[in-house]
Each structure stands twice: as structure tokens, then as C-alpha cells.
Amino acid sequence: MSLRRLQSLGQRRNPLSGIESERGSGTVLAAGLGMVVVMIMSLLLLLAQASAAASRAAAAADLAALAGADALRGVSAGEPCAVAAAVAARHKATLVSCTLGGDQSVEVSTGLPAGPLLGVATGRARAGPPP
């Protein structure tokens, strides 16, 4: 095969080094950079999902603690931990723990499923008079 025939098939040689040219390396570099961007965006989306789940779990804990404290003081009817569990369930969270304080306070801990990759988001709150 003649040199001209090899060049027409894309097998060009660098005249200075004698090695084959690096045709197509830009495509590989662009594909690699695209994969890096996709991975970074995926990680950022997971972080945003975790943050949203933690916020929802904290809000459920706050509301459950307030409802439990109201029941403990007699403002609303019911047993404080049962009322707190019902309020947490309305926010798609589960009541993990409920502690009644001697000073008319209620401390609760809630768990909320955050997704298959993130596990469970937790929230903790205390309601009642200042300590």
C-alpha cells in the first residue's frame, strides 16, 4: 500500500515523531468530561434530597413535640405520646422516642424514610416551658 493510500484511510503519521496521530482523542475527552458532570450533578441531587428529608423530619418532630406538650398540659385531649405519634404519622414520619419531662415538657425523636440510597432522616425536638 502506498503512503498516500494509508493517509486516505486515516492512518496518518506525525512527520516529527513517526507515531500515529491522535485523531478522536477530543471525543474521548469530551465523553469523560460529560461523565464527570453527570456524576457531580447526581451527587448534588442526592445532597438536596437528604437536606429536604432532614428538614421534613425536623418539622415533624417539632409539631409532634408541640402537640404532645399541649396534651400534657391539658390543652388538648389524649395521652401526650399517643398524640405526638399521631401528629408525626400525619407527616409520614414515625415516632422513635417520646420522653415526658417533670417540668411539663415533651421531648420526641422522629424518623422519616429519605430514600433507598439515603436511609432514614431523623429529627429531634423538645416542647414545653424553658429549661
Side-chain angles (χ1 to χ4, degrees):
M1 226 181 239
S2 69
L3 180 63
R4 204 167 266 205
R5 176 84 175 136
L6 287 175
Q7 287 179 348
S8 68
L9 294 175
Q11 298 175 350
R12 297 183 184 149
R13 293 188 175 266
N14 187 339
L16 298 177
S17 66
I19 60 173
E20 302 217 3
S21 71
E22 297 181 5
R23 290 185 63 151
S25 63
T27 303
V28 173
L29 179 64
L33 288 174
M35 291 297 287
V36 168
V37 168
V38 167
M39 289 182 68
I40 289 173
M41 290 301 293
S42 298
L43 290 175
L44 286 175
L45 287 174
L46 277 175
L47 181 64
Q49 183 180 4
S51 176
S55 178
R56 288 178 46 215
D62 287 341
L63 293 172
L66 287 171
D70 282 348
L72 183 63
R73 287 192 326 237
V75 176
S76 64
E79 196 271 318
C81 289
V83 171
V87 169
R90 277 188 237 140
H91 295 316
K92 296 180 178 69
T94 57
L95 190 67
V96 175
S97 69
C98 178
T99 306
L100 304 178
D103 59 346
Q104 299 262 323
S105 66
V106 176
E107 188 171 339
V108 298
S109 178
T110 59
L112 182 94
L117 296 176
L118 299 173
V120 176
T122 60
R124 187 172 170 200
R126 179 191 171 279

